[in-house]
Amino acid sequence: MQQDEYVAALDAGGTSFKCALVALDGTLLSAWAVPTSTVDDTLARCAAEFEAAFEARGRRARGLGIASFGPADVDPASATYGTILGTAKPGWQDAALGPRLSAALDLPFHLDSDVNAALLAEMRWGNAQHAQSAAYVTVGTGIGAGLFANRGLLGRPTHPEFGHIRVVRHARDQDFPGTCALHGDCLEGLASAAAFMARWGDPTQLPADHHAWEIEAFYLAQACMNLYLMARLERVIFGGGLMQAAHLLPRVAEAFDALMGNYLPITGRQLISAPGCGKHAGVLGGAEIALRQL
């Protein structure tokens, strides 16, 4: 492989499609975002801007890696591999995301869930580099988790839908019905950014001592406890928009310690961290998906 070779990477989200060119060593060569609109418009613009970026570098990418919102078909052996499945995002159900971009760019594609991809990036370049097992949990409009243990991603040939597990309600949060259209008060229905805003409004406008943060931390700590006790993970990494509140992660670690009750020799601060790849975890995850195929 030549030193100037690279892959195209895409973090396909409900709000924007984050695009990048990434060198084989993980260096981010260029990055930009395309607003998520209709399927046709979004994919056409992504393809056009990738082509312009290839031309500017004078060499085409070696492949395309996609970290996608879901649920999505992530099974390479499936006839619908790379397709968005039963998503709640209007107009995107059954969108052949991977195949259409692959055809438009004349590049092989590899696709996985956004959280699986971010987890792989964290294990390659971020805060889970030396871990043999880890999870990446994103807390945004919804909640998702990718898990790696026993030398592979768990849930194959599909991917986990961790946001829909059940959690115990906080004593001060008994009446809120939850925002999940399917399950009401599952983890996502109680602790996603959408659920947070439905109860308390814009999180950036709430003081750090507001009781909302205690309730949110309680639910996320239960998620950590379930992940840790089930798979004895070495690291749980939290990303997503709601985690931009810097005081929330320490609260989750403290709540985890309280829930565990010294049952096993690990603390929340040892287990739980923010992404080492920061805001680029998703798109670097897309790159890692492609790089693993080279």
Side-chain angles (χ1 to χ4, degrees):
M1 298 183 187
Q2 299 185 32
Q3 288 187 348
D4 59 347
E5 290 185 330
Y6 62 93
V7 295
L10 176 63
D11 179 10
T15 302
S16 68
F17 275 38
K18 298 174 183 176
C19 309
L21 304 184
V22 181
L24 304 190
D25 65 357
T27 300
L28 198 65
L29 302 175
S30 61
W32 66 95
V34 172
T36 306
S37 56
T38 66
V39 175
D40 289 345
D41 288 347
T42 306
L43 299 189
R45 183 169 170 184
C46 283
E49 296 194 12
F50 269 124
E51 286 290 359
F54 298 164
E55 184 175 354
R57 296 203 69 82
R59 176 186 287 271
R60 297 186 67 77
R62 288 287 306 276
L64 170 66
I66 303 173
S68 176
F69 71 93
D73 188 340
V74 299
D75 181 5
S78 170
T80 56
Y81 173 52
T83 298
I84 304 296
L85 300 176
T87 180
K89 185 163 183 62
W92 281 83
Q93 187 166 351
D94 300 322
L97 173 58
R100 287 185 59 172
L101 281 176
S102 177
L105 297 173
D106 192 25
L107 289 176
F109 83 92
H110 306 280
L111 179 145
D112 212 323
S113 70
D114 47 8
V115 284
N116 275 352
L119 173 58
L120 292 177
E122 287 296 315
M123 296 191 77
R124 177 79 176 269
W125 298 297
N127 281 340
Q129 287 184 65
H130 305 295
Q132 298 299 310
S133 62
Y136 188 99
V137 181
T138 183
V139 186
T141 304
I143 291 179
L147 290 79
F148 188 101
N150 298 327
R151 302 182 180 179
L153 291 164
L154 303 187
R156 293 307 198 203
T158 59
H159 57 80
E161 284 292 336
F162 185 72
H164 299 281
I165 66 168
R166 311 304 302 191
V167 290
V168 176
R169 280 182 173 270
H170 192 281
R172 300 179 68 181
D173 192 37
Q174 295 296 310
D175 298 326
F176 178 63
T179 58
C180 177
L182 296 174
H183 310 120
D185 59 352
C186 59
L187 175 65
E188 182 171 295
L190 292 175
S192 65
F196 190 100
M197 293 182 69
R199 306 212 275 307
W200 301 297
D202 185 349
T204 64
Q205 301 303 310
L206 286 186
D209 60 354
H210 193 284
H211 69 274
W213 300 112
E214 175 190 338
I215 295 171
E216 180 69 22
F218 177 69
Y219 293 134
L220 297 183
Q222 287 185 67
C224 288
M225 185 175 180
N226 289 336
L227 287 168
Y228 177 70
L229 292 177
M230 176 181 67
R232 297 299 291 271
L233 302 176
E234 296 174 55
R235 188 60 56 91
V236 176
I237 296 171
F238 275 97
L242 198 59
M243 303 309 298
Q244 298 303 308
H247 56 84
L248 178 55
L249 200 64
R251 282 181 175 268
V252 176
E254 291 172 7
F256 173 84
D257 291 341
L259 289 171
M260 287 290 289
N262 297 316
Y263 176 54
L264 293 169
I266 192 166
T267 67
R269 291 186 179 275
Q270 291 171 326
L271 178 69
I272 300 164
S273 77
C277 296
K279 64 181 181 180
H280 298 302
V283 76
L284 286 175
E288 174 64 359
I289 293 168
L291 290 170
R292 284 177 170 232
Q293 308 302 319
L294 297 183

PDB file of all heavy atoms in Angstrom, residues 20-53:
ATOM      1  N   ALA A  20     -15.778  12.014   5.488  1.00  0.00           N
ATOM      2  CA  ALA A  20     -14.356  12.253   5.709  1.00  0.00           C
ATOM      3  C   ALA A  20     -13.522  11.393   4.773  1.00  0.00           C
ATOM      4  O   ALA A  20     -13.973  10.354   4.289  1.00  0.00           O
ATOM      5  CB  ALA A  20     -13.974  11.959   7.161  1.00  0.00           C
ATOM      6  N   LEU A  21     -12.318  11.852   4.553  1.00  0.00           N
ATOM      7  CA  LEU A  21     -11.275  11.044   3.946  1.00  0.00           C
ATOM      8  C   LEU A  21     -10.262  10.766   5.051  1.00  0.00           C
ATOM      9  O   LEU A  21      -9.834  11.690   5.759  1.00  0.00           O
ATOM     10  CB  LEU A  21     -10.596  11.787   2.790  1.00  0.00           C
ATOM     11  CG  LEU A  21     -11.513  12.295   1.668  1.00  0.00           C
ATOM     12  CD1 LEU A  21     -10.685  12.930   0.562  1.00  0.00           C
ATOM     13  CD2 LEU A  21     -12.411  11.195   1.130  1.00  0.00           C
ATOM     14  N   VAL A  22      -9.896   9.505   5.219  1.00  0.00           N
ATOM     15  CA  VAL A  22      -9.054   9.097   6.339  1.00  0.00           C
ATOM     16  C   VAL A  22      -7.892   8.260   5.821  1.00  0.00           C
ATOM     17  O   VAL A  22      -8.095   7.287   5.085  1.00  0.00           O
ATOM     18  CB  VAL A  22      -9.858   8.286   7.379  1.00  0.00           C
ATOM     19  CG1 VAL A  22      -8.986   7.881   8.552  1.00  0.00           C
ATOM     20  CG2 VAL A  22     -11.068   9.096   7.868  1.00  0.00           C
ATOM     21  N   ALA A  23      -6.673   8.648   6.197  1.00  0.00           N
ATOM     22  CA  ALA A  23      -5.485   7.909   5.787  1.00  0.00           C
ATOM     23  C   ALA A  23      -5.453   6.541   6.452  1.00  0.00           C
ATOM     24  O   ALA A  23      -6.164   6.290   7.427  1.00  0.00           O
ATOM     25  CB  ALA A  23      -4.233   8.704   6.144  1.00  0.00           C
ATOM     26  N   LEU A  24      -4.609   5.665   5.936  1.00  0.00           N
ATOM     27  CA  LEU A  24      -4.560   4.301   6.442  1.00  0.00           C
ATOM     28  C   LEU A  24      -4.093   4.221   7.891  1.00  0.00           C
ATOM     29  O   LEU A  24      -4.360   3.229   8.570  1.00  0.00           O
ATOM     30  CB  LEU A  24      -3.656   3.443   5.549  1.00  0.00           C
ATOM     31  CG  LEU A  24      -4.014   3.387   4.063  1.00  0.00           C
ATOM     32  CD1 LEU A  24      -3.189   2.321   3.359  1.00  0.00           C
ATOM     33  CD2 LEU A  24      -5.496   3.135   3.844  1.00  0.00           C
ATOM     34  N   ASP A  25      -3.423   5.263   8.380  1.00  0.00           N
ATOM     35  CA  ASP A  25      -2.993   5.272   9.779  1.00  0.00           C
ATOM     36  C   ASP A  25      -4.008   5.957  10.691  1.00  0.00           C
ATOM     37  O   ASP A  25      -3.754   6.167  11.880  1.00  0.00           O
ATOM     38  CB  ASP A  25      -1.630   5.947   9.919  1.00  0.00           C
ATOM     39  CG  ASP A  25      -1.650   7.428   9.549  1.00  0.00           C
ATOM     40  OD1 ASP A  25      -2.719   7.939   9.120  1.00  0.00           O
ATOM     41  OD2 ASP A  25      -0.597   8.091   9.678  1.00  0.00           O
ATOM     42  N   GLY A  26      -5.180   6.326  10.147  1.00  0.00           N
ATOM     43  CA  GLY A  26      -6.214   6.961  10.947  1.00  0.00           C
ATOM     44  C   GLY A  26      -6.190   8.474  10.940  1.00  0.00           C
ATOM     45  O   GLY A  26      -7.040   9.095  11.576  1.00  0.00           O
ATOM     46  N   THR A  27      -5.252   9.072  10.220  1.00  0.00           N
ATOM     47  CA  THR A  27      -5.208  10.532  10.145  1.00  0.00           C
ATOM     48  C   THR A  27      -6.406  11.059   9.369  1.00  0.00           C
ATOM     49  O   THR A  27      -6.694  10.586   8.259  1.00  0.00           O
ATOM     50  CB  THR A  27      -3.911  11.000   9.453  1.00  0.00           C
ATOM     51  OG1 THR A  27      -2.791  10.530  10.194  1.00  0.00           O
ATOM     52  CG2 THR A  27      -3.862  12.521   9.373  1.00  0.00           C
ATOM     53  N   LEU A  28      -7.094  12.027   9.947  1.00  0.00           N
ATOM     54  CA  LEU A  28      -8.241  12.644   9.288  1.00  0.00           C
ATOM     55  C   LEU A  28      -7.731  13.661   8.271  1.00  0.00           C
ATOM     56  O   LEU A  28      -7.163  14.687   8.632  1.00  0.00           O
ATOM     57  CB  LEU A  28      -9.118  13.319  10.341  1.00  0.00           C
ATOM     58  CG  LEU A  28     -10.552  13.664   9.976  1.00  0.00           C
ATOM     59  CD1 LEU A  28     -11.365  12.408   9.709  1.00  0.00           C
ATOM     60  CD2 LEU A  28     -11.192  14.469  11.096  1.00  0.00           C
ATOM     61  N   LEU A  29      -7.908  13.362   6.994  1.00  0.00           N
ATOM     62  CA  LEU A  29      -7.375  14.211   5.934  1.00  0.00           C
ATOM     63  C   LEU A  29      -8.300  15.379   5.625  1.00  0.00           C
ATOM     64  O   LEU A  29      -7.835  16.490   5.373  1.00  0.00           O
ATOM     65  CB  LEU A  29      -7.151  13.378   4.668  1.00  0.00           C
ATOM     66  CG  LEU A  29      -6.207  12.190   4.817  1.00  0.00           C
ATOM     67  CD1 LEU A  29      -6.173  11.368   3.532  1.00  0.00           C
ATOM     68  CD2 LEU A  29      -4.803  12.666   5.185  1.00  0.00           C
ATOM     69  N   SER A  30      -9.586  15.128   5.614  1.00  0.00           N
ATOM     70  CA  SER A  30     -10.573  16.185   5.407  1.00  0.00           C
ATOM     71  C   SER A  30     -11.914  15.689   5.923  1.00  0.00           C
ATOM     72  O   SER A  30     -12.157  14.481   5.968  1.00  0.00           O
ATOM     73  CB  SER A  30     -10.680  16.574   3.934  1.00  0.00           C
ATOM     74  OG  SER A  30     -11.093  15.478   3.135  1.00  0.00           O
ATOM     75  N   ALA A  31     -12.763  16.629   6.308  1.00  0.00           N
ATOM     76  CA  ALA A  31     -14.064  16.252   6.856  1.00  0.00           C
ATOM     77  C   ALA A  31     -15.072  17.346   6.575  1.00  0.00           C
ATOM     78  O   ALA A  31     -14.733  18.535   6.548  1.00  0.00           O
ATOM     79  CB  ALA A  31     -13.951  16.003   8.360  1.00  0.00           C
ATOM     80  N   TRP A  32     -16.320  16.943   6.358  1.00  0.00           N
ATOM     81  CA  TRP A  32     -17.394  17.886   6.112  1.00  0.00           C
ATOM     82  C   TRP A  32     -18.716  17.189   6.439  1.00  0.00           C
ATOM     83  O   TRP A  32     -18.739  15.992   6.704  1.00  0.00           O
ATOM     84  CB  TRP A  32     -17.376  18.379   4.662  1.00  0.00           C
ATOM     85  CG  TRP A  32     -17.670  17.309   3.637  1.00  0.00           C
ATOM     86  CD1 TRP A  32     -18.862  17.005   3.061  1.00  0.00           C
ATOM     87  CD2 TRP A  32     -16.713  16.387   3.080  1.00  0.00           C
ATOM     88  NE1 TRP A  32     -18.729  15.965   2.177  1.00  0.00           N
ATOM     89  CE2 TRP A  32     -17.418  15.565   2.163  1.00  0.00           C
ATOM     90  CE3 TRP A  32     -15.344  16.176   3.251  1.00  0.00           C
ATOM     91  CZ2 TRP A  32     -16.800  14.555   1.431  1.00  0.00           C
ATOM     92  CZ3 TRP A  32     -14.719  15.168   2.528  1.00  0.00           C
ATOM     93  CH2 TRP A  32     -15.443  14.370   1.628  1.00  0.00           C
ATOM     94  N   ALA A  33     -19.795  17.942   6.429  1.00  0.00           N
ATOM     95  CA  ALA A  33     -21.099  17.381   6.764  1.00  0.00           C
ATOM     96  C   ALA A  33     -22.131  17.763   5.720  1.00  0.00           C
ATOM     97  O   ALA A  33     -22.090  18.859   5.141  1.00  0.00           O
ATOM     98  CB  ALA A  33     -21.549  17.856   8.145  1.00  0.00           C
ATOM     99  N   VAL A  34     -23.060  16.848   5.478  1.00  0.00           N
ATOM    100  CA  VAL A  34     -24.182  17.053   4.570  1.00  0.00           C
ATOM    101  C   VAL A  34     -25.460  16.926   5.394  1.00  0.00           C
ATOM    102  O   VAL A  34     -25.655  15.898   6.061  1.00  0.00           O
ATOM    103  CB  VAL A  34     -24.179  16.010   3.434  1.00  0.00           C
ATOM    104  CG1 VAL A  34     -25.462  16.100   2.610  1.00  0.00           C
ATOM    105  CG2 VAL A  34     -22.947  16.185   2.547  1.00  0.00           C
ATOM    106  N   PRO A  35     -26.332  17.923   5.386  1.00  0.00           N
ATOM    107  CA  PRO A  35     -27.582  17.804   6.159  1.00  0.00           C
ATOM    108  C   PRO A  35     -28.419  16.624   5.668  1.00  0.00           C
ATOM    109  O   PRO A  35     -28.503  16.362   4.463  1.00  0.00           O
ATOM    110  CB  PRO A  35     -28.300  19.134   5.875  1.00  0.00           C
ATOM    111  CG  PRO A  35     -27.219  20.068   5.421  1.00  0.00           C
ATOM    112  CD  PRO A  35     -26.214  19.225   4.699  1.00  0.00           C
ATOM    113  N   THR A  36     -29.023  15.912   6.590  1.00  0.00           N
ATOM    114  CA  THR A  36     -29.882  14.780   6.234  1.00  0.00           C
ATOM    115  C   THR A  36     -31.247  15.304   5.822  1.00  0.00           C
ATOM    116  O   THR A  36     -31.952  15.925   6.618  1.00  0.00           O
ATOM    117  CB  THR A  36     -30.045  13.819   7.420  1.00  0.00           C
ATOM    118  OG1 THR A  36     -28.755  13.439   7.899  1.00  0.00           O
ATOM    119  CG2 THR A  36     -30.799  12.564   7.000  1.00  0.00           C
ATOM    120  N   SER A  37     -31.597  15.062   4.549  1.00  0.00           N
ATOM    121  CA  SER A  37     -32.916  15.459   4.051  1.00  0.00           C
ATOM    122  C   SER A  37     -33.590  14.218   3.475  1.00  0.00           C
ATOM    123  O   SER A  37     -33.729  13.229   4.167  1.00  0.00           O
ATOM    124  CB  SER A  37     -32.780  16.583   3.020  1.00  0.00           C
ATOM    125  OG  SER A  37     -31.914  16.202   1.958  1.00  0.00           O
ATOM    126  N   THR A  38     -34.007  14.255   2.224  1.00  0.00           N
ATOM    127  CA  THR A  38     -34.568  13.061   1.617  1.00  0.00           C
ATOM    128  C   THR A  38     -33.455  12.086   1.256  1.00  0.00           C
ATOM    129  O   THR A  38     -32.280  12.471   1.156  1.00  0.00           O
ATOM    130  CB  THR A  38     -35.357  13.406   0.347  1.00  0.00           C
ATOM    131  OG1 THR A  38     -34.446  13.909  -0.646  1.00  0.00           O
ATOM    132  CG2 THR A  38     -36.432  14.444   0.640  1.00  0.00           C
ATOM    133  N   VAL A  39     -33.820  10.855   1.015  1.00  0.00           N
ATOM    134  CA  VAL A  39     -32.823   9.850   0.642  1.00  0.00           C
ATOM    135  C   VAL A  39     -32.105  10.265  -0.632  1.00  0.00           C
ATOM    136  O   VAL A  39     -30.862  10.290  -0.686  1.00  0.00           O
ATOM    137  CB  VAL A  39     -33.488   8.465   0.455  1.00  0.00           C
ATOM    138  CG1 VAL A  39     -32.475   7.453  -0.057  1.00  0.00           C
ATOM    139  CG2 VAL A  39     -34.106   7.985   1.753  1.00  0.00           C
ATOM    140  N   ASP A  40     -32.859  10.599  -1.660  1.00  0.00           N
ATOM    141  CA  ASP A  40     -32.248  10.930  -2.946  1.00  0.00           C
ATOM    142  C   ASP A  40     -31.319  12.132  -2.841  1.00  0.00           C
ATOM    143  O   ASP A  40     -30.184  12.109  -3.333  1.00  0.00           O
ATOM    144  CB  ASP A  40     -33.328  11.207  -3.991  1.00  0.00           C
ATOM    145  CG  ASP A  40     -34.079   9.947  -4.413  1.00  0.00           C
ATOM    146  OD1 ASP A  40     -33.588   8.835  -4.111  1.00  0.00           O
ATOM    147  OD2 ASP A  40     -35.150  10.086  -5.028  1.00  0.00           O
ATOM    148  N   ASP A  41     -31.788  13.194  -2.218  1.00  0.00           N
ATOM    149  CA  ASP A  41     -30.978  14.411  -2.129  1.00  0.00           C
ATOM    150  C   ASP A  41     -29.731  14.195  -1.273  1.00  0.00           C
ATOM    151  O   ASP A  41     -28.634  14.643  -1.635  1.00  0.00           O
ATOM    152  CB  ASP A  41     -31.808  15.556  -1.543  1.00  0.00           C
ATOM    153  CG  ASP A  41     -32.851  16.081  -2.510  1.00  0.00           C
ATOM    154  OD1 ASP A  41     -32.779  15.739  -3.704  1.00  0.00           O
ATOM    155  OD2 ASP A  41     -33.754  16.825  -2.057  1.00  0.00           O
ATOM    156  N   THR A  42     -29.877  13.515  -0.146  1.00  0.00           N
ATOM    157  CA  THR A  42     -28.744  13.314   0.762  1.00  0.00           C
ATOM    158  C   THR A  42     -27.665  12.461   0.111  1.00  0.00           C
ATOM    159  O   THR A  42     -26.479  12.810   0.137  1.00  0.00           O
ATOM    160  CB  THR A  42     -29.208  12.654   2.067  1.00  0.00           C
ATOM    161  OG1 THR A  42     -30.259  13.421   2.644  1.00  0.00           O
ATOM    162  CG2 THR A  42     -28.060  12.549   3.058  1.00  0.00           C
ATOM    163  N   LEU A  43     -28.063  11.356  -0.499  1.00  0.00           N
ATOM    164  CA  LEU A  43     -27.074  10.459  -1.109  1.00  0.00           C
ATOM    165  C   LEU A  43     -26.432  11.091  -2.336  1.00  0.00           C
ATOM    166  O   LEU A  43     -25.228  10.917  -2.578  1.00  0.00           O
ATOM    167  CB  LEU A  43     -27.714   9.122  -1.460  1.00  0.00           C
ATOM    168  CG  LEU A  43     -28.290   8.320  -0.286  1.00  0.00           C
ATOM    169  CD1 LEU A  43     -28.698   6.922  -0.744  1.00  0.00           C
ATOM    170  CD2 LEU A  43     -27.300   8.236   0.865  1.00  0.00           C
ATOM    171  N   ALA A  44     -27.217  11.829  -3.119  1.00  0.00           N
ATOM    172  CA  ALA A  44     -26.653  12.490  -4.298  1.00  0.00           C
ATOM    173  C   ALA A  44     -25.610  13.529  -3.890  1.00  0.00           C
ATOM    174  O   ALA A  44     -24.538  13.622  -4.509  1.00  0.00           O
ATOM    175  CB  ALA A  44     -27.766  13.142  -5.116  1.00  0.00           C
ATOM    176  N   ARG A  45     -25.907  14.288  -2.857  1.00  0.00           N
ATOM    177  CA  ARG A  45     -24.953  15.310  -2.427  1.00  0.00           C
ATOM    178  C   ARG A  45     -23.696  14.673  -1.831  1.00  0.00           C
ATOM    179  O   ARG A  45     -22.582  15.126  -2.091  1.00  0.00           O
ATOM    180  CB  ARG A  45     -25.610  16.238  -1.408  1.00  0.00           C
ATOM    181  CG  ARG A  45     -24.709  17.363  -0.987  1.00  0.00           C
ATOM    182  CD  ARG A  45     -25.433  18.419  -0.195  1.00  0.00           C
ATOM    183  NE  ARG A  45     -24.493  19.360   0.394  1.00  0.00           N
ATOM    184  CZ  ARG A  45     -24.843  20.350   1.198  1.00  0.00           C
ATOM    185  NH1 ARG A  45     -26.124  20.561   1.480  1.00  0.00           N
ATOM    186  NH2 ARG A  45     -23.922  21.147   1.701  1.00  0.00           N
ATOM    187  N   CYS A  46     -23.870  13.607  -1.038  1.00  0.00           N
ATOM    188  CA  CYS A  46     -22.703  12.914  -0.487  1.00  0.00           C
ATOM    189  C   CYS A  46     -21.810  12.388  -1.602  1.00  0.00           C
ATOM    190  O   CYS A  46     -20.585  12.557  -1.566  1.00  0.00           O
ATOM    191  CB  CYS A  46     -23.148  11.753   0.407  1.00  0.00           C
ATOM    192  SG  CYS A  46     -23.736  12.239   2.034  1.00  0.00           S
ATOM    193  N   ALA A  47     -22.423  11.748  -2.588  1.00  0.00           N
ATOM    194  CA  ALA A  47     -21.647  11.186  -3.695  1.00  0.00           C
ATOM    195  C   ALA A  47     -20.901  12.280  -4.448  1.00  0.00           C
ATOM    196  O   ALA A  47     -19.711  12.134  -4.772  1.00  0.00           O
ATOM    197  CB  ALA A  47     -22.568  10.417  -4.634  1.00  0.00           C
ATOM    198  N   ALA A  48     -21.568  13.397  -4.730  1.00  0.00           N
ATOM    199  CA  ALA A  48     -20.935  14.484  -5.468  1.00  0.00           C
ATOM    200  C   ALA A  48     -19.767  15.087  -4.689  1.00  0.00           C
ATOM    201  O   ALA A  48     -18.697  15.371  -5.267  1.00  0.00           O
ATOM    202  CB  ALA A  48     -21.976  15.560  -5.780  1.00  0.00           C
ATOM    203  N   GLU A  49     -19.943  15.248  -3.385  1.00  0.00           N
ATOM    204  CA  GLU A  49     -18.876  15.858  -2.593  1.00  0.00           C
ATOM    205  C   GLU A  49     -17.718  14.897  -2.368  1.00  0.00           C
ATOM    206  O   GLU A  49     -16.559  15.321  -2.296  1.00  0.00           O
ATOM    207  CB  GLU A  49     -19.452  16.394  -1.274  1.00  0.00           C
ATOM    208  CG  GLU A  49     -20.454  17.518  -1.525  1.00  0.00           C
ATOM    209  CD  GLU A  49     -20.807  18.316  -0.284  1.00  0.00           C
ATOM    210  OE1 GLU A  49     -20.112  18.161   0.741  1.00  0.00           O
ATOM    211  OE2 GLU A  49     -21.765  19.107  -0.355  1.00  0.00           O
ATOM    212  N   PHE A  50     -18.002  13.603  -2.253  1.00  0.00           N
ATOM    213  CA  PHE A  50     -16.907  12.640  -2.203  1.00  0.00           C
ATOM    214  C   PHE A  50     -16.118  12.660  -3.509  1.00  0.00           C
ATOM    215  O   PHE A  50     -14.874  12.650  -3.498  1.00  0.00           O
ATOM    216  CB  PHE A  50     -17.434  11.224  -1.941  1.00  0.00           C
ATOM    217  CG  PHE A  50     -17.512  10.852  -0.487  1.00  0.00           C
ATOM    218  CD1 PHE A  50     -18.715  10.424   0.070  1.00  0.00           C
ATOM    219  CD2 PHE A  50     -16.392  10.912   0.335  1.00  0.00           C
ATOM    220  CE1 PHE A  50     -18.794  10.073   1.411  1.00  0.00           C
ATOM    221  CE2 PHE A  50     -16.459  10.561   1.686  1.00  0.00           C
ATOM    222  CZ  PHE A  50     -17.675  10.146   2.219  1.00  0.00           C
ATOM    223  N   GLU A  51     -16.805  12.688  -4.635  1.00  0.00           N
ATOM    224  CA  GLU A  51     -16.112  12.711  -5.928  1.00  0.00           C
ATOM    225  C   GLU A  51     -15.219  13.948  -6.049  1.00  0.00           C
ATOM    226  O   GLU A  51     -14.087  13.869  -6.530  1.00  0.00           O
ATOM    227  CB  GLU A  51     -17.124  12.674  -7.075  1.00  0.00           C
ATOM    228  CG  GLU A  51     -17.776  11.324  -7.295  1.00  0.00           C
ATOM    229  CD  GLU A  51     -16.802  10.288  -7.862  1.00  0.00           C
ATOM    230  OE1 GLU A  51     -15.620  10.611  -8.106  1.00  0.00           O
ATOM    231  OE2 GLU A  51     -17.232   9.143  -8.054  1.00  0.00           O
ATOM    232  N   ALA A  52     -15.721  15.086  -5.597  1.00  0.00           N
ATOM    233  CA  ALA A  52     -14.916  16.310  -5.643  1.00  0.00           C
ATOM    234  C   ALA A  52     -13.689  16.182  -4.745  1.00  0.00           C
ATOM    235  O   ALA A  52     -12.590  16.641  -5.099  1.00  0.00           O
ATOM    236  CB  ALA A  52     -15.766  17.507  -5.217  1.00  0.00           C
ATOM    237  N   ALA A  53     -13.862  15.548  -3.585  1.00  0.00           N
ATOM    238  CA  ALA A  53     -12.732  15.364  -2.668  1.00  0.00           C
ATOM    239  C   ALA A  53     -11.702  14.400  -3.257  1.00  0.00           C
ATOM    240  O   ALA A  53     -10.486  14.612  -3.111  1.00  0.00           O
ATOM    241  CB  ALA A  53     -13.242  14.844  -1.326  1.00  0.00           C
TER     242      ALA A  53
END
